[in-house]
Structure formats: C-alpha cells, structure tokens
Amino acid sequence: MPESIIRETHDKVGLIRINRPAAMNALNDEVIEGIGSALASFEADDDIGCIVLTGDSKAFAAGADIRAMKDFDYMAAYQGDFITRNWERLKTCRKPVIAAVAGYALGGGCELALMCDTIYAAENARFGLPEVKLGTLPGAGGTQRLPRAVGKAKAMDLCFTGRMMDAVEAERCGLVARIFPTEKLVDETIAIAQTIAGYSLPVLMMIKESVNRAFETSLAEGLLFERRTFHASFALEDQKEGMTAFLEKRTPKFRNR
Ligand code: DAK
C-alpha cells in the first residue's frame, strides 16, 4: 500500500484513509490506485462487510492534484483515459462503501465522495466543485452525480459559482445522510458500518444494486428489477434465518448465504 493510503480493519469494517496531509489529500495516481488496491483487498476478504473511505480532519480530499494535471494536453488525457482508467474502481465495488467527510471535499474529492453509496459529514465539512475557477469543469462525474443527488438548481449553482457549501446545507439538499461532530465522525461512521456489516452481505449487495438501478432506468423497469431481486432473496438461507429469528425473538445469525 502506498504511504498516501492507510488501510485498517475494524472487526468487519474496512477503513481506507487518504493520507496526503501536506497537499490537502489531493488525489494523484498513487492515491487513486491505493484506494483501488485497498478496495480490491477488502472486497476479496470474506470477513469484511462494509467499507469506509475517509481523509483527515482538514480534508477528505481537496480535488484532483492540480500540480499533476496542470500540463496535461488533450491527447495525454484522452489516450491515458484520465479518470476512467483508475478513478471508477469505486463504481464496481459491490460491498457498501460509506464516505466519511471532514474538512474539504472539493472537485475530484467531492466527486469521489459522490461515487460512494452514502456520505456522512463532519460539522466542518465543505463541499464544492470549484473547477470553473481553474478553467475546466468537473470531469469525474460531478456534472452527472451532483444533480442526481441535489437537483438541477443547486448543482448548477455549485458548478457555475465554484462556491463551497457547509455540512448543514449539504444535508438539507440531500448530498449528506447525517452530520456528526468533527472529532467523532470516523468512530460514529465505523459504528454504523459495523451494524451494516452485521447484516447479510448478499442482501446488502442486492439493496445496493436495486437502489443504484433507480438512477439508471425508468420507474417501471426499476420496480421490476427490485421485485425480481426481492423474489430472489427468498432463495437465501439468511432470509429464512432473519424471519425465523424474529419469530423466535432472538438475534439472527447471518452467514452470507
Ligand atoms: N492539488 C494540489 N495541491 C493542492 C490541492 C490540489 N487540488 N489543494 C491544496 N493543495 C496544496 C496547496 O497547493 C498547498 O501546498 P503548498 O503550497 O503548501 O506546497 C497545500 O495543499 C495546502 O493548501 P493551502 O495552502 O491552499 O491551504 P488553505 O487552508 O489556505 O486552503 C483549500 C485550502 C482546499 C481551500 C485550497 O487549498 C484550495 O482551494 N485548493 C484547491 C481546491 C480545488 O480547486 N480543487 C479542485 C481541483 S480540480 C478532469 C477530471 C477531473 C478533474 C479535472 C479534469 N478531466 C477528465 C479532464 C478534477 C479536477 C479537480 O478536482
């Protein structure tokens, strides 16, 4: 694992910390590829049920590394498949991934958080897509995922002005699921992730696929996908265990089958 990524295991939770404090956790290839390797190792680990991605208390990530990008030309970006090549690893992760955001989540940092399944924010979190100030536009999904999360008006406002929004505004507009005191963010997120990881992993994967389908298809197709997936859940031992445990007034023991 590169120095810029810290990988920790907390019982059934895999924690990935971006660790480039001198550059506000700006995202270069080393960081992005480190996140990709950590994700792959947690996905391959049957003991891990949920993954948390975080930075430090000052920055989740202040964007793509401007120093590394400054001299790119079109052919370098296009032929090197900039962003698609390694950033989108998060998109293919089948286990739940939570972004725990403290401090700045700007540009590519905000886009990285948007690729996660949900976002928990610290009180000091600041979200923004300031690419317009650099003479470019959000290029890692910001113009597509932000409007889906917060609606067109707010997304246009953030992309056009490059301004930052705080955690309260981010929660109000639906970008963020919950807000925690800054010093408690990671512990609280890990605690929630432990609860999630205690459920049946195949069910979590079915939930993730079904919710994500809502952003890819019509309501009728999405409902059909959900219904078929729901039907499929009755083939799981974990469904029998969950319902039996409820009726026997005991805690279920899920075995991911
Ligand atoms: N890249 C590189 N270094 C960064 C950085 C970044 N994004 N953000 C901060 N740093 C570095 C600073 O240069 C500084 O380094 P030294 O001068 O100490 O060497 C150090 O981190 C501390 O930053 P500051 O001194 O600026 O700290 P402050 O507390 O004063 O301000 C800040 C913090 C986060 C408000 C400020 O650093 C800032 O505004 N940073 C830039 C934020 C930003 O513009 N982010 C968007 C980056 S552009 C594309 C796909 C994707 C993208 C683009 C194209 N294509 C497919 C074509 C994505 C673009 C972006 O993400």
Side-chain angles (χ1 to χ4, degrees):
M1 208 51 60
E3 217 173 86
S4 53
I5 292 296
I6 299 171
R7 183 185 166 286
E8 297 169 15
T9 299
H10 296 255
D11 194 12
K12 292 175 135 211
V13 175
L15 179 70
I16 305 171
R17 289 182 195 269
I18 306 168
N19 179 44
R20 258 194 105 196
M24 294 273 168
N25 289 337
L27 303 163
N28 58 13
D29 273 352
E30 182 184 284
V31 173
I32 290 296
E33 276 154 24
I35 292 171
S37 319
L39 281 172
S41 68
F42 287 139
E43 280 222 285
D45 184 343
D46 289 342
D47 292 331
I48 296 294
C50 188
I51 299 164
V52 175
L53 177 63
T54 195
D56 56 42
S57 60
K58 283 200 182 140
F60 176 75
D65 189 314
I66 298 169
R67 234 172 234 111
M69 268 188 314
K70 182 177 78 67
D71 294 324
F72 266 25
D73 59 16
Y74 172 74
M75 283 320 287
Y78 179 69
Q79 283 191 316
D81 208 9
F82 183 44
I83 303 296
T84 318
R85 185 183 73 245
N86 46 11
W87 283 55
E88 297 205 331
R89 177 64 186 82
L90 263 171
K91 225 176 61 177
T92 59
C93 181
R94 298 182 75 202
K95 293 182 179 177
V97 184
I98 302 172
V101 174
Y104 299 108
L106 302 178
C110 183
E111 292 169 304
L112 197 66
L114 279 162
M115 285 181 210
C116 297
D117 297 318
T118 188
I119 304 176
Y120 297 150
E123 282 166 348
N124 76 344
R126 297 284 178 277
F127 296 87
L129 293 175
E131 284 86 346
V132 69
K133 297 180 181 175
L134 300 169
T136 185
L137 62 147
T143 66
Q144 302 305 302
R145 292 195 180 96
L146 191 65
R148 283 168 168 80
V150 305
K152 178 179 169 181
K154 186 75 85 179
M156 288 290 194
D157 169 46
L158 287 161
C159 291
F160 281 161
T161 66
R163 75 174 177 91
M164 295 184 210
M165 70 175 165
D166 64 16
V168 171
E169 183 181 356
E171 187 188 32
R172 197 171 62 228
C173 67
L175 178 64
V176 154
R178 309 195 208 185
I179 302 175
F180 295 107
T182 303
E183 65 286 359
K184 292 193 176 155
L185 171 73
V186 174
D187 288 347
E188 295 281 357
T189 304
I190 289 174
I192 297 165
Q194 296 289 12
T195 302
I196 295 170
Y199 298 129
S200 167
L201 182 58
V203 171
L204 293 169
M205 288 160 64
M206 288 175 178
I207 291 170
K208 179 164 173 164
E209 272 188 275
S210 296
V211 174
N212 282 335
R213 193 52 67 108
F215 297 95
E216 304 285 354
T217 190
S218 69
L219 178 60
E221 288 299 321
L223 286 170
L224 184 62
F225 182 87
E226 177 204 80
R227 210 53 40 80
R228 291 288 174 265
T229 311
F230 172 65
H231 293 161
S233 76
F234 287 88
L236 294 172
E237 287 176 21
D238 285 342
Q239 173 271 326
K240 300 288 173 290
E241 168 63 7
M243 294 192 182
T244 304
F246 175 80
L247 295 172
E248 292 177 355
K249 301 190 189 306
R250 62 174 174 81
T251 308
K253 271 192 159 173
F254 294 121
R255 296 165 68 203
N256 297 341
R257 290 186 199 167

